[in-house]
Amino acid sequence: MKKESIVPFFAALEAANPTPRTELEYTSVFELLAAVLLSAQATDVGVNKATRKLFALAGSPQAILDLGLEGLEGHIRTIGLYKDKARHLLQTCRILVEQHAGVVPRTREALQALPGVGRKTANVVLNVAFGQPTMAVDTHIFRVSNRTGLAPGKNPLAVEIQLLERVPPAYAVDAHHWLILLGRYVCQARKPRCWKCVVAPWCDFGSKTPAP
DNA sequence: ATCCCGAGGG
DNA sequence: CCCTCTGGAT
């Protein structure tokens, strides 16, 4: 993608969706952290289905701890990778209670020190909860960045660095959500719907898919 | 590089 | 059946 295409690219995304937001359901920063941790290799729809009941019963680190491993597994069993996620979330809650007074930390270092929280999850929390211009490169953002040519890096970290360099400051906070939603509903992995894509004029993707 | 792992879609 | 879904730990 040409350098001069980047501003119109994001201007088009902004025009189509002026105030993008995550589709994960949460009512506190802790619930956001838990929901993002659970969302690895899973759909938001599936995570929300489980967390709606879970958070109604246990919406704080101590309340999750009180569920115990078996109890927590019971609530998230319908989500993929649930054994690892239950164990990691419990350990994370234990650290939050014992080392952070039950409050989600605001630094990348402290976030990534939590079990089950890697670079991508930390970036999402920093962006969504604390308004920082991070680029959380998940499966959607990686694919969209490569296809469009916005950031052609060969691995998630390379793409993240390119996005941080190339996305204009005015778009840096919302870019995360625009790219995610574009990947989820338009630039899909199997069958991209190029005919309904608002950034198609600036996209490098060859042989754009026609309308059905 | 490999494992984890259920639900939904094609 | 196979692929995909807001990855992280080993």
Side-chain angles (χ1 to χ4, degrees):
Chain A
M1 183 184 298
K2 290 182 250 180
K3 210 172 283 187
E4 55 268 32
S5 300
I6 294 179
V7 167
F9 179 97
F10 283 104
L13 290 172
E14 181 180 37
N17 188 359
T19 58
R21 87 171 188 79
T22 179
E23 293 184 338
L24 289 171
E25 297 171 7
Y26 64 97
T27 64
S28 68
V29 176
F30 169 71
E31 288 186 2
L32 172 68
L33 170 64
V36 177
L37 188 157
L38 293 173
S39 72
Q41 298 293 279
T43 61
D44 280 5
V45 172
V47 172
N48 289 335
K49 188 184 300 184
T51 57
R52 199 160 66 183
K53 292 181 181 177
L54 173 65
F55 293 159
L57 190 67
S60 70
Q62 185 58 54
I64 297 280
L65 284 171
D66 292 341
L67 290 176
L69 184 58
E70 304 285 329
L72 180 54
E73 283 185 350
H75 283 281
I76 67 173
R77 195 168 291 143
T78 55
I79 304 176
L81 316 178
Y82 73 93
K83 289 184 179 177
D84 280 350
K85 290 174 182 176
R87 185 162 35 84
H88 291 154
L89 181 53
L90 273 186
Q91 292 174 3
T92 282
C93 288
R94 190 167 295 118
I95 293 173
L96 289 178
V97 169
E98 294 178 355
Q99 301 181 21
H100 298 283
V103 178
V104 176
R106 293 177 166 261
T107 67
R108 170 187 304 287
E109 293 72 25
L111 285 168
Q112 289 190 208
L114 301 170
V117 180
R119 187 176 185 87
K120 179 261 171 182
T121 298
N123 278 332
V124 174
V125 173
L126 289 170
N127 179 289
V128 176
F130 304 132
Q132 297 189 26
T134 58
M135 299 293 165
V137 181
D138 54 51
T139 180
H140 291 305
I141 293 188
F142 184 75
R143 181 181 64 254
V144 169
S145 296
N146 272 218
R147 277 184 182 165
T148 58
L150 176 65
K154 297 191 193 315
N155 59 70
L157 183 57
V159 168
E160 178 182 338
I161 293 170
Q162 290 172 338
L163 289 174
L164 290 172
E165 292 172 346
R166 301 178 187 194
V167 178
Y171 303 121
V173 174
D174 288 336
H176 167 70
H177 290 119
W178 283 323
L179 296 176
I180 274 265
L181 295 171
L182 186 65
R184 181 176 299 162
Y185 296 114
V186 181
C187 193
Q188 296 169 328
R190 298 271 194 118
K191 292 185 175 182
R193 302 175 178 180
C194 299
W195 67 89
K196 56 181 286 189
C197 181
V198 299
V199 296
W202 308 281
C203 178
D204 290 350
F205 191 57
S207 65
K208 293 185 170 56
T209 56

